[in-house]
Amino acid sequence: MSTPTLPHAPAPPYALDTGDPMHSQHASPDRPPAVDCAHERGHITDSRFYGHIYATETSRAVFCDVCRFQSWLDIEAQLALAQAELGMIPQWAADRIAESARVHLLDLDGVRAEIRRTAHSLVGLLRAFQSVCGPEAGEYIHYGTTTQDIQDTGQVLAMKRVLDNLQTLIAGLVERLVEICEEHAATVVLGRTHAQPALPIGFGLKAAGWIDELLRHDERIEAMRPRVLVLQLFGGAGSMAGFEGKGPELLDGLAGRLGLSVPDTGWHASRDRMAEYVSTLAMTAGTLGRIADEIRTLGRPEIGEVQEAWYLGKVGSSTMPHKRNPEGCEQIVVMARLAAAQAGTALTAMGGDHERDGRTLRMEWVCVPDVSHYTLTACEIMTRVLGGLSVRTDRALANVLEVRDQVATEGLMLAFAGHVGKQSAHERIYQLIQRAIGERRPLRELIEADERLGGVLDPAELDVLFDPARYLGDSALLTRRVTDRARGWLKGRRAA
């Protein structure tokens, strides 16, 4: 019996014949027609399938095309209202402009066509907006200003929304880390340097370092807000010539309406503010990447000092059923690396000519959204990771005890220093511990049999020195200093 031949579906109306058999609209019995992709969602942050691990709902809402256009319309509306207050345009026109500043009223397909026809990034939108406002009020749209005034200000408003969300997420991370610090201030873990055993520390001290770093990023964000979140409204060449001598008043009025700071001069060609924003977010993501990498490493089975949350149904491998991969931590590291890559773009974009050119802003349209997507995503994933993180105190202690002789050497050296001198004690302890490691013998046995050190310290003193839990130094105190400051900071944020 022959197998029936299934009919091919008709080619979609906008499948392209690119010459590539994989994309040709010409179907054949052995080659199905192209899938209708409509060439949308090309960037990974917009992917319907993978976008959730590269961008957040907030970041996508800030930087989507429709939201960008709505932001520009909002600025045009507030500009018109501010100009009406100064008598620069009629109040009725400003009211009409403000009432019509709704992106859903515009023919966006027409805007798209006009952008391509005019090769201009804003005129197409302004013409569509004018048609909605009507011929009379439409004449007062965009009065005396220039394209980059609107687009720069729109970008700053987007950045403001990102920073608001970012600082909220940082506060959540700090709050969770404070809980971890307070629970594990005295939990003995192995401090490592150069990936090798160093000294015992409290786990809280490790997490306190993470808090301290995050709080510095929040300080940077707060410090840059008045410097970076500023209005752009200086006209074609930065002289405010089109504002009838009322430029400074208009600048103050519009900045107040939009909740932005007032710069002293135009910054069409001065892009240090954008570079600072991108770099600060990249640094914040970098810290999250460092924390994630630490958690990932400490969670390795051969270390096993921390454990991420896991749920039945989460799959680590398509071929190895046992896998429980640290996907969250790995993705945070990916976000940190991608964010770092945007800083170079932002620094490159600082090189604009004369009073203005198109190269700066168009580069920022890439790096500003991308660093925002990646940093917010890193924060959201880290929130989930820390929320389900547990410290395995038994494994942590076992790891310390496994190398207790090695981590005791500093304390031993300092204890013997009072008897034989610090440098001499260092040299002798060095020789004995290296011998102990090589011969796999207990260090204490070698010390007690040593002609120079044997009998110098009594057994009770040696008991203390070989007990890792009694050589945590000021771990708990240093942890408490950070958590006290963090709690005060959190209280201040809530009050604000």
Side-chain angles (χ1 to χ4, degrees):
M1 188 171 79
S2 62
T3 302
T5 302
L6 297 177
H8 289 294
Y14 22 67
L16 299 180
D17 184 2
T18 64
D20 182 345
M22 295 298 292
H23 294 89
S24 175
Q25 64 180 345
H26 302 297
S28 66
D30 60 349
R31 186 178 71 218
V35 174
D36 173 15
C37 68
H39 305 291
E40 294 180 352
R41 303 181 184 273
H43 197 291
I44 190 65
T45 58
D46 297 322
S47 169
R48 288 186 294 161
F49 306 101
Y50 309 109
H52 65 289
I53 58 172
Y54 287 87
T56 69
E57 291 300 318
T58 296
S59 67
R60 276 193 290 268
V62 171
F63 292 107
C64 77
D65 279 339
V66 173
C67 300
R68 180 181 294 112
F69 282 170
Q70 184 59 63
S71 177
W72 293 353
L73 294 178
D74 291 340
I75 296 164
E76 294 283 3
Q78 294 302 319
L79 172 63
L81 293 170
Q83 288 174 323
E85 286 182 353
L86 297 176
M88 297 173 63
I89 68 173
Q91 186 65 53
W92 61 264
D95 292 339
R96 178 59 181 162
I97 291 169
E99 292 167 1
S100 304
R102 304 290 183 270
V103 71
H104 69 271
L105 299 177
L106 274 57
D107 174 11
L108 294 183
D109 288 335
V111 172
R112 182 172 182 263
E114 273 294 282
I115 289 172
R116 297 188 174 203
R117 188 186 71 81
T118 62
H120 194 277
S121 58
L122 187 62
V123 165
L125 182 73
L126 293 177
R127 288 176 177 171
F129 188 28
Q130 183 178 2
S131 68
V132 172
C133 291
E136 295 182 347
E139 295 293 341
Y140 295 99
I141 292 173
H142 200 67
Y143 204 81
T145 189
T146 193
T147 294
Q148 197 169 338
D149 285 342
I150 304 302
Q151 293 176 343
D152 273 345
T153 300
Q155 182 162 268
V156 168
L157 289 174
M159 290 157 50
K160 184 175 185 293
R161 289 183 61 188
V162 170
L163 293 181
D164 290 345
N165 187 225
L166 177 58
Q167 288 186 282
T168 298
L169 289 169
I170 289 174
L173 295 176
V174 169
E175 189 165 17
R176 172 58 182 145
L177 285 171
V178 166
E179 295 174 355
I180 292 173
C181 282
E182 292 179 341
E183 181 179 357
H184 296 287
T187 295
V188 182
V189 297
L190 180 60
R192 299 173 176 89
T193 60
H194 303 277
Q196 298 297 313
L199 296 171
I201 62 171
F203 186 85
L205 183 61
K206 182 189 294 286
W210 302 343
I211 293 174
D212 200 33
E213 199 165 331
L214 288 172
L215 291 179
R216 287 197 297 276
H217 290 314
D218 185 78
E219 289 174 4
R220 292 184 181 99
I221 293 170
E222 280 298 312
M224 79 173 179
R225 275 179 174 272
R227 187 168 55 241
V228 171
L229 302 182
V230 299
L231 180 64
Q232 180 82 283
L233 190 69
F234 292 87
S239 66
M240 292 186 161
F243 296 137
E244 304 173 2
K246 299 178 180 179
E249 293 176 82
L250 181 61
L251 187 70
D252 289 343
L254 184 56
R257 286 175 169 273
L258 297 176
L260 299 177
S261 298
V262 179
D264 291 329
T265 187
W267 47 279
H268 294 127
S270 299
R271 312 310 293 183
D272 59 292
R273 292 180 171 93
M274 303 298 106
E276 181 177 2
Y277 170 87
V278 174
S279 299
T280 300
L281 263 65
M283 290 172 64
T284 304
T287 292
L288 298 173
R290 181 177 82 83
I291 297 170
D293 239 354
E294 181 79 358
I295 293 172
R296 172 181 171 273
T297 300
L298 295 180
R300 294 170 63 125
E302 59 268 32
I303 299 176
E305 294 175 3
V306 300
Q307 187 171 332
E308 293 184 59
W310 182 85
Y311 58 87
L312 188 63
K314 185 178 182 181
V315 178
S317 170
S318 63
T319 186
M320 296 173 285
H322 69 280
K323 296 285 283 179
R324 293 188 178 187
N325 297 335
E327 296 285 354
C329 286
E330 289 180 347
Q331 189 63 16
I332 292 169
V333 174
V334 170
M335 295 298 97
R337 292 174 179 175
L338 288 173
Q342 307 313 307
T345 302
L347 293 172
T348 303
M350 291 180 68
D353 283 350
H354 305 299
E355 277 57 60
R356 179 153 58 103
D357 70 51
R359 294 171 297 171
T360 56
L361 184 59
R362 292 173 192 175
M363 292 179 73
E364 291 165 2
W365 280 10
V366 176
C367 63
V368 168
D370 280 359
V371 78
S372 303
H373 288 310
Y374 303 144
T375 305
L376 291 182
T377 302
C379 275
E380 287 201 354
I381 298 176
M382 182 58 76
T383 299
R384 295 193 291 273
V385 168
L386 292 179
L389 187 71
S390 59
V391 180
R392 300 183 61 188
T393 57
D394 56 336
R395 282 296 300 273
L397 180 59
N399 289 339
V400 177
L401 294 177
E402 187 175 343
V403 291
R404 68 189 306 166
D405 283 2
Q406 296 177 45
V407 301
T409 58
E410 182 188 73
L412 289 165
M413 177 195 69
L414 294 175
F416 283 114
H419 301 274
V420 301
K422 189 265 181 186
Q423 306 307 330
S424 296
H426 180 281
E427 179 63 23
R428 194 58 187 151
I429 293 296
Y430 167 81
Q431 292 171 354
L432 293 177
I433 187 59
Q434 299 305 326
R435 179 183 167 191
I437 293 172
E439 297 178 2
R440 297 187 177 183
R441 294 176 61 185
L443 175 60
R444 183 166 181 169
E445 175 185 305
L446 297 180
I447 289 175
E448 290 174 337
D450 186 71
E451 59 183 15
R452 295 190 62 190
L453 302 184
V456 172
L457 300 179
D458 61 47
E461 291 178 285
L462 290 176
D463 287 344
V464 171
L465 292 168
F466 277 99
D467 181 359
R470 302 172 79 170
Y471 201 74
L472 298 182
D474 290 323
S475 289
L477 172 63
L478 296 171
T479 300
R480 188 167 61 251
R481 284 173 57 179
V482 173
T483 55
D484 286 349
R485 180 162 59 91
R487 285 201 176 279
W489 175 80
L490 287 166
K491 183 177 179 181
R493 279 193 57 85
R494 296 189 192 102

